[in-house]
Amino acid sequence: MRTTLRLLLLALALAPLRAKADGDDWLTQFWQDEKMSLFLRTDYFENSRLLDGQKDLWGGTAQLEAKPSWQDVDGKLNLYVLEPNALTADRAAFSLVEGYLTFHLGQVDIRVGKISVPWGRADGVNPTDNLTPHDYTLQLPFDEDLRVGLAAVKLDWYLDEELDVTLFTTPFFEPSKFPLPQAGNGVSYQVTTPAQTLQNEEAGLKLNKTGGDWDWSVSYFHGFRSLPDLDLASESAGSSVVGVDYSPIDVWGADFAHNLGPFAVRGEAALTLPERAPTGDLNPLQPFVMAVFGLDRSFDQELNVNLQVIGRFITDFSPLAPESDSFTAQVNELDRIVNNQQDANSYEVSFRVGDKWMNETLGAEVFGVVDLTRNDSYIRPSVNYAFNDQLTAWAGWDIYRGDANTPFGLISPTQGFFSEVRYSF
């Protein structure tokens, strides 16, 4: 609670500064030149995303964004202070989401700092998006809040008005934060991440075309899978240690987008090739192809409907070997669930339907993914209302359905109502 008071004091300290800027020439000019924005957010979640059983989490966030610009250099700063549960905990987190400078050198842009780089043209499910991790445990409601920047260098070379080449590299691997079942009862996790050295440097290369009749790209990534691999590291009387590490992978990908009359057609696919597993690993990450194909259409410029088909195909599938030790079998099954490696072929359908009313002050959306192979699903209906240019509210419901041995069933304890009220300066 003390941290929440500090957040409120921070807001009260900054709000008059922004209000004064509306009537003070130099301060107004500074705020506008640096393209600064301050967001005060309060969020409620019925259930914790950490699979720790906490309920009724109410938190507060103060977020600052700035996009300063100079002659041939511009930058971005995005940071926040977040307390996910002000009622029961005092553990505020400070996070620098992005902070970088971009140097414009003729046809080449070089970006240095903490960078978030999304790849892919499909809606919400992107097989080629392997450069930067996500924090799936964060108590914030929007997908863009879950992306985490990495200390990296990105070079964009603009060959002409439509064609460009991107090179991304970093020696600072960070995994995605994924909710795993809580340790306890003699079970603990032992996390091992790749050393942050030049030998473990990650790199991505993409040739991208935008404009004209077709948009497309081809890409390559060498680095580490951001989702965890799990195995039984050790076991003794009354104690079991589950190893958590991250596989080195190579990913070849491509995507496209094309307008076909009133429809927008999108596709994306990637071949993921893990490096050879160590001798004795009975449950390695297996090579797989993931592909997405979808259509979307807008009606009256306000109603939009998007539908996608998603396929995962393991190229050399091997089922889990029967285990005499039941806990080893549970760990191996959990690893297959987290990495979507339970079936040789699996299929999903995703959809997104959104509409706006009242001069776009009121909006509603339903997003969902239905697994046709394992019969689990995720549905998220939500509504939003803009009271004015500065104050907006959202409310929605995360609904997970499926058996405990399915991807959506595994995280079903996190389902429930959520809301956010955001005030921007």
Side-chain angles (χ1 to χ4, degrees):
M1 183 64 73
R2 293 193 303 272
T3 306
T4 303
L5 292 175
R6 288 195 291 268
L7 287 173
L8 292 175
L9 289 173
L10 173 65
L12 291 173
L14 292 174
L17 178 66
R18 181 64 183 96
K20 183 181 177 183
D22 293 333
D24 190 300
D25 290 341
W26 75 266
L27 198 53
T28 300
Q29 194 64 42
F30 174 78
W31 196 271
Q32 292 175 350
D33 287 349
E34 309 310 319
K35 300 177 182 177
M36 298 180 67
S37 300
L38 174 67
F39 304 95
L40 302 179
R41 306 163 64 173
T42 178
D43 295 275
Y44 169 82
F45 281 82
E46 184 177 347
N47 288 298
S48 169
R49 286 180 168 176
L50 286 170
L51 293 177
D52 57 6
Q54 289 192 68
K55 291 184 173 294
D56 297 322
L57 287 83
W58 177 81
T61 305
Q63 183 175 4
L64 177 68
E65 289 187 4
K67 297 180 180 179
S69 180
W70 302 276
Q71 185 174 359
D72 293 316
V73 181
D74 57 45
K76 182 177 180 180
L77 177 68
N78 182 6
L79 57 87
Y80 62 71
V81 180
L82 164 69
E83 183 168 8
N85 192 5
L87 298 180
T88 60
D90 189 18
R91 52 185 181 93
F94 170 84
S95 178
L96 175 62
V97 181
E98 286 190 285
Y100 60 76
L101 293 175
T102 302
F103 301 88
H104 304 285
L105 308 173
Q107 292 180 270
V108 176
D109 289 347
I110 299 177
R111 181 168 295 176
V112 181
K114 194 166 187 182
I115 307 167
S116 176
V117 183
W119 276 4
R121 286 184 164 92
D123 178 36
V125 182
N126 300 106
T128 64
D129 187 22
N130 296 287
L131 299 188
T132 47
H134 294 71
D135 185 351
Y136 297 106
T137 67
L138 201 60
Q139 297 291 154
L140 291 173
F142 303 110
D143 291 342
E144 58 266 27
D145 292 323
L146 308 185
R147 185 176 292 277
V148 181
L150 276 180
V153 176
K154 184 169 81 84
L155 181 148
D156 293 305
W157 180 19
Y158 301 96
L159 303 177
D160 56 36
E161 292 183 354
E162 296 184 353
L163 204 61
D164 61 84
V165 175
T166 295
L167 173 64
F168 173 95
T169 182
T170 178
F172 302 108
F173 169 78
E174 290 185 21
S176 290
K177 293 182 180 180
F178 188 84
L180 294 173
Q182 290 289 297
N185 297 322
V187 178
S188 61
Y189 291 108
Q190 178 180 291
V191 180
T192 304
T193 56
Q196 295 183 341
T197 64
L198 291 178
Q199 184 178 359
N200 289 328
E201 183 178 19
E202 295 187 297
L205 179 66
K206 182 169 76 168
L207 176 65
N208 181 63
K209 189 258 184 190
T210 55
D213 215 21
W214 290 80
D215 293 345
W216 55 263
S217 76
V218 291
S219 60
Y220 168 73
F221 169 76
H222 173 77
F224 297 90
R225 185 163 167 79
S226 67
L227 292 178
D229 291 331
L230 308 172
D231 61 7
L232 186 58
S234 66
E235 190 171 24
S236 59
S239 176
S240 300
V241 178
V242 177
V244 180
D245 55 22
Y246 300 89
S247 298
I249 56 172
D250 293 286
V251 183
W252 298 88
D255 61 36
F256 75 90
H258 175 61
N259 290 326
L260 193 63
F263 296 95
V265 184
R266 302 178 187 274
E268 187 173 345
L271 168 63
T272 299
L273 300 172
E275 290 190 5
R276 187 181 299 275
T279 303
D281 188 347
L282 301 178
N283 187 34
L285 182 69
Q286 302 174 86
F288 66 95
V289 174
M290 182 176 176
V292 183
F293 178 81
L295 296 170
D296 69 80
R297 180 176 180 179
S298 294
F299 301 86
D300 299 325
Q301 299 182 346
E302 293 180 344
L303 172 63
N304 182 265
V305 179
N306 181 293
L307 180 66
Q308 296 184 142
V309 178
I310 305 160
R312 292 183 177 88
F313 313 98
I314 297 178
T315 58
D316 190 18
F317 180 75
S318 59
L320 282 173
E323 297 281 356
S324 58
D325 183 342
S326 61
F327 186 69
T328 299
Q330 291 176 30
V331 173
N332 289 340
E333 181 69 14
L334 178 60
D335 177 73
R336 292 285 180 104
I337 294 170
V338 170
N339 289 288
N340 280 291
Q341 299 252 302
Q342 293 174 281
D343 303 285
N345 302 317
S346 60
Y347 302 91
E348 297 174 336
V349 174
S350 77
F351 58 89
R352 189 187 302 271
V353 180
D355 203 354
K356 297 179 180 179
W357 305 274
M358 300 169 57
N359 295 321
E360 300 189 359
T361 59
L362 175 64
E365 180 182 274
V366 179
F367 174 76
V369 180
V370 178
D371 187 332
L372 305 177
T373 305
R374 290 273 165 172
N375 297 318
D376 57 323
S377 62
Y378 167 59
I379 310 294
R380 169 182 267 212
S382 63
V383 296
N384 61 82
Y385 184 77
F387 295 93
N388 50 48
D389 291 341
Q390 295 175 299
L391 182 64
T392 308
W394 290 264
W397 197 283
D398 287 320
I399 304 170
Y400 296 94
R401 292 289 182 268
D403 295 334
N405 65 341
T406 63
F408 292 127
L410 174 68
I411 55 178
S412 61
T414 68
Q415 74 174 358
F417 175 79
F418 67 87
S419 65
E420 174 170 297
V421 177
R422 181 186 301 191
Y423 190 82
S424 61
F425 298 89

